[in-house]
Structure formats: C-alpha cells, structure tokens
Amino acid sequence: MARISSPVGIGQKNNYADVFTVQVLLNKNKKITTPSTKLTEDGAFGPNTLERIKYFQKSIVNLKNPDGIISPTGATMRNLVVHSSFHTTTNRSTRTLIFSQQQLVEAAKSLRCEVAAIKAVVLTETPRGAFDNDGKPTILYERHYFHRLTSGRYDSDPVLSNKHPGGYGKYSAQYGKLNRAIILDKKAALQSASWGAFQIMGENYKAAGFSTIEEFVKNMETVQGQLDAFVNFIKKTPPLQSALQNKQWSTFARVYNGPDYKSNAYDNKLANNYQLSLKKP
C-alpha cells in the first residue's frame, strides 16, 4: 500500500519521496484528474500540487476548509489510497530518474556530454530510486571503507568494519548499519557510504565540491544537491569526464566503480542503459 513518511503540504518537510507519492496518487484519481490536468511527478511541492491537494480535499474528502496538508495517517491520505489506482512498481520505476529535463540539460552542458549519458549513470547506480521510502537519500554502507578509515579499530564488529568488501544485506538495513557506525566514528561512517542517485562515496566529498562530509551529506537531501555533487565530482576527475563524453563505458566503470567492475557487468549495464535513455525523453 502507498504511504508517506511525513506530512506533505504548506509549511511541511515535503520529502521528495512523499511528495512524489502524493503526486502519483492524485494523478491516478480519475475524478479530479484528466490527461490535460496531470501534475508533473517531480517530487517538488509547488502551487500546482497544493491546488490539486485542496481540490481533492474539497471534492473527495468533503472538507469545508481544505488546508492543503496531507498527514501520513490522516483522512486525506486514506482517501487518496482508497480512491486512486496506485501500484508501487510504477512508482519505483518512475522514481529512478528524478531530475527534470532542464536540470539534466544544464548538467550535460556543464560536463559537455549527452543527457542520455548522465541518465545511464543514474539508471545503473540507483534502479530503486535516489531516495528511499522514508524520503532519505539512498545509501550503500561499505564496511571495508570504515575499516580503512578507522585503521581497523572496530573490526570486532565485522558487519560494520571489515577489510573485505561485501556483506551488504538488504537495502532496508543500510541506515541501521550507518547509524551504528556513526556512534563509533561519525566522520568515518559518513564517508563509508555511497550516496544518492549517483552513489558517490562520502569519502569523495571534497572532489564533489564540499568542504566537509557533513555539508556533502546535507546536500544529498535535495535533487539539485545530488546533481551538483555529480557534476563537480566528474569535473574533478578528468578520466571520468572524458569517458562520459565519449561513452567509453569500460573506462568509466573502472574509474567510477573500481577494477572489479566486470564482476557485476557494470560497463554492460551502463551501455544498455545509455541505449535505453536514447529512446526515452
């Protein structure tokens, strides 16, 4: 069942994933939405989304004074679920490319590459979406980074610190591991996760354009922050920029993902997703 983690509306936190879910649900409601009045499902709370929420509250929920706010367990959310045809698989696949066309065009212009090349990286790195169901940036905790950054001081807990990579576990377990590592060494822990749509390692925060790891992590909370970090990181790594410009996927994969990239066919995935991106606007 569709759900949101925190309120959406005027003066609310408006997490990307929550706003996106609300927009999809509103668009699925045939009583208030036609093909010509569909909202842009971009996860950004704006006047059009607010107007549609209030219209739904008045027309479907029968509120005399619509407040434009949807709480996770409130009447508006319950009615959205009941009166909308919503499938989480559609949500997940649509969520993958979270950037507007304008954002992608600007990023591609800055990197002097094709928009499809940037899309290929996103589709390869985060097929589940750049934000999780709680609206937090998607992460992958890397225990071998934490081992190296802390000189193995916490190897007594091999789930958190281990000289060998792997042991990732479920996607839902990543923040739990990160939070446990933060208690031991916050800066090392934050640098030991890959973040957002492009899965940039926290350790690369300076190359991504930030003076501290905390600033980097804060910017991962926004769509534009993730895109800016990627653009900065690619520019600071000439082999990556050249490979992205020339669609040299094996080179890009080796520099971006490490020498073992062929073990998960990373270069082939990039090439396939690039072709897919050429076919879709």
Side-chain angles (χ1 to χ4, degrees), residues 103-115 117-118 121 198 227-238 240-246 252:
Q103 286 176 310
L104 290 170
V105 168
E106 288 298 318
K109 181 179 179 181
S110 181
L111 293 173
R112 301 193 304 278
C113 71
E114 295 178 33
V115 167
I118 298 176
V121 179
F198 301 96
L227 187 58
D228 289 344
F230 176 73
V231 171
N232 290 335
F233 181 62
I234 296 300
K235 282 185 171 182
K236 288 287 182 68
T237 317
L240 284 177
Q241 185 168 7
S242 176
L244 196 65
Q245 291 169 343
N246 296 293
F252 187 92

Side-chain angles (χ1 to χ4, degrees), residues 20-182:
F20 181 93
T21 297
V22 167
Q23 290 170 332
V24 172
L25 287 169
L26 288 168
N27 282 340
K28 292 291 185 180
N29 189 278
K30 304 302 182 182
K31 292 185 178 180
I32 66 166
T33 303
T34 64
S36 63
T37 62
K38 288 185 67 175
L39 292 167
T40 300
E41 296 169 1
D42 58 4
F45 182 79
N48 291 337
T49 301
L50 172 61
E51 180 183 359
R52 192 58 53 80
I53 290 173
K54 286 187 173 181
Y55 184 54
F56 181 85
Q57 288 178 324
K58 182 178 181 179
S59 303
I60 306 300
V61 191
N62 296 317
L63 296 182
K64 292 183 179 179
N65 298 301
D67 59 5
I69 297 175
I70 302 177
S71 64
T73 58
T76 303
M77 187 63 192
R78 291 196 300 272
N79 276 273
L80 274 174
V81 173
V82 170
H83 294 288
S84 300
S85 174
F86 181 83
H87 302 284
T88 55
T89 52
T90 301
N91 180 16
R92 180 175 296 169
S93 61
T94 308
R95 275 174 52 188
T96 304
L97 289 173
I98 62 173
F99 307 104
S100 70
Q101 185 65 16
Q102 181 180 355
Q103 286 176 310
L104 290 170
V105 168
E106 288 298 318
K109 181 179 179 181
S110 181
L111 293 173
R112 301 193 304 278
C113 71
E114 295 178 33
V115 167
I118 298 176
K119 286 183 177 181
V121 179
V122 178
L123 289 168
T124 303
E125 288 291 342
T126 49
R128 295 173 63 91
F131 296 89
D132 65 18
N133 290 331
D134 294 325
K136 296 182 294 187
T138 297
I139 67 167
L140 186 66
Y141 180 78
E142 299 278 9
R143 65 186 188 183
H144 62 298
Y145 273 74
F146 192 68
H147 162 84
R148 175 169 53 77
L149 291 170
T150 59
S151 301
R153 290 193 303 275
Y154 304 106
D155 284 2
S156 58
D157 187 341
V159 173
L160 299 184
S161 182
N162 196 311
K163 65 180 180 180
H164 300 294
Y168 297 109
K170 296 180 179 179
Y171 285 100
S172 58
Q174 302 308 306
Y175 270 100
K177 291 190 289 185
L178 175 64
N179 290 333
R180 285 166 54 200
I182 284 174

